[in-house]
C-alpha cells in the first residue's frame, strides 16, 4: 500500500499521513464491499491473502484474517460458492441467502480494513456504506439472474455467473492495488444501478406497483 500512499500524496500534497491512511482504508473497504456484492467469498479471500503477505494491514483485532487457517477456510468457501453458481436452479436458490450474506460480508470487509477510527464510527461506516453497497449490488445481480431465468429458462445463467465472478475478481484486485480508483468506480457503478432501477420503476404503471 506504500505505492498507493505516494500516488495520493502527489495528487493531494497537503494531506497528512494519518488522514491519508484513513482515506485509503475507507476506499479499500468500499471496494472490497462492492466485490462482495458479486461474490461473497472472493474479496474476503483476496483480503486474506493480501494480509498474510503483508501488503494490507488489517485493523486492530483483525490480524487473524492474514493467517493460514483463514486463507484455507476462505479458499474452500470460495471454490464451493463459485461451483454452486454453475449448477442450474441452485444458483437461484442461493440468491435467497446470498443477499444477507453479501451485506454481512461487505460490513465485515470494511470493518476489517478501516483503521484509526473510533469503533462506533468504524462499525457505522461498515454497516451503512459497506453493507449497503454490497446489498445494492447483490440485489442488482439477483434481478439480472431472475430475468435470465424467466427469459431463457436458466440456460443463460452460466453467462451471468461468469460475469459476476469476473467482476468480483476485477473489483477485488482494483480495490487492493488502487483503492482510491476502486472507490471511484464503485460510486460510478452505484449511480448507474440507481438510475437503472429508477428508470425501470418509472416504466411500471402506478396500478402495478406494490403498495408501500
Amino acid at each position: 500500500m506504500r505505492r498507493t500512499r505516494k500516488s495520493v500524496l502527489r495528487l493531494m500534497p497537503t494531506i497528512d499521513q494519518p488522514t491519508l491512511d484513513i482515506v485509503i482504508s475507507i476506499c479499500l473497504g468500499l471496494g472490497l464491499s462492492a466485490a462482495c456484492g458479486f461474490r461473497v467469498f472472493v474479496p474476503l479471500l483476496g483480503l486474506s491473502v493480501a494480509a498474510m503477505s503483508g501488503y494490507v494491514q488489517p485493523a486492530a483485532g483483525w490480524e487473524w484474517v492474514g493467517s493460514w487457517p483463514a486463507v484455507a477456510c476462505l479458499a474452500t468457501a470460495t471454490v464451493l460458492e463459485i461451483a454452486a453458481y454453475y449448477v442450474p436452479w441452485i444458483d437461484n436458490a442461493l440468491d435467497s441467502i446470498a443477499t444477507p450474506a453479501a451485506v454481512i460480508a461487505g460490513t465485515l470487509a470494511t470493518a476489517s480494513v478501516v483503521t484509526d477510527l473510533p469503533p462506533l464510527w468504524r462499525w457505522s461506516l461498515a454497516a451503512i456504506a459497506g453493507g449497503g453497497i454490497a446489498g445494492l449490488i447483490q440485489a442488482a445481480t439477483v434481478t439480472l439472474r431472475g430475468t435470465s431465468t424467466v427469459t431463457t429458462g436458466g440456460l443463460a445463467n452460466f453467462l451471468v455467473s461468469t460475469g459476476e465472478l469476473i467482476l468480483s475478481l476485477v473489483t477485488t484486485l482494483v480495490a487492493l492495488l488502487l483503492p482510491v480508483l476502486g472507490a471511484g468506480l464503485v460510486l460510478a457503478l452505484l449511480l448507474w444501478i440507481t438510475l437503472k432501477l429508477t428508470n425501470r420503476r418509472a416504466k411500471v404503471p402506478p396500478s402495478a406497483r406494490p403498495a408501500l
Side-chain angles (χ1 to χ4, degrees):
M1 301 293 283
R2 293 178 180 176
R3 185 178 300 177
T4 300
R5 293 189 181 94
K6 292 179 180 179
S7 299
V8 176
L9 280 173
R10 284 197 293 267
L11 295 175
M12 297 180 291
T14 59
I15 192 171
D16 59 277
Q17 188 65 45
T19 303
L20 176 63
D21 289 339
I22 294 175
V23 171
I24 291 178
S25 66
I26 290 175
C27 290
L28 171 58
L30 297 183
L32 292 175
S33 296
C36 288
F38 296 112
R39 280 294 176 273
V40 172
F41 293 107
V42 168
L44 298 181
L45 175 60
L47 171 61
S48 185
V49 173
M52 189 175 65
S53 67
Y55 182 75
V56 171
Q57 180 63 45
W62 290 87
E63 292 83 2
W64 59 269
V65 171
S67 64
W68 276 112
V71 171
C73 290
L74 290 171
T76 301
T78 299
V79 171
L80 292 176
E81 181 187 24
I82 292 173
Y85 270 103
Y86 284 102
V87 179
W89 303 108
I90 291 182
D91 54 351
N92 287 290
L94 284 176
D95 283 338
S96 61
I97 62 173
T99 299
V103 172
I104 295 173
T107 300
L108 296 179
T110 300
S112 66
V113 297
V114 172
T115 58
D116 301 322
L117 283 181
L120 177 61
W121 284 95
R122 179 158 60 96
W123 281 103
S124 297
L125 176 68
I128 297 173
I133 289 173
L136 181 59
I137 292 178
Q138 172 61 209
T141 63
V142 170
T143 301
L144 178 60
R145 194 186 313 283
T147 302
S148 173
T149 300
V150 171
T151 56
T152 70
L155 297 178
N157 283 16
F158 77 96
L159 294 176
V160 177
S161 296
T162 301
E164 291 171 351
L165 176 58
I166 293 174
L167 286 172
S168 184
L169 289 170
V170 171
T171 306
T172 298
L173 289 175
V174 173
L176 290 170
L177 299 176
L178 301 168
V180 177
L181 174 62
L185 294 176
V186 168
L187 294 177
L189 176 61
L190 292 177
L191 178 60
W192 182 80
I193 291 175
T194 302
L195 291 176
K196 282 290 185 179
L197 293 177
T198 301
N199 292 336
R200 182 175 180 178
R201 179 174 175 80
K203 294 178 181 180
V204 178
S207 58
R209 295 177 185 174
L212 299 178

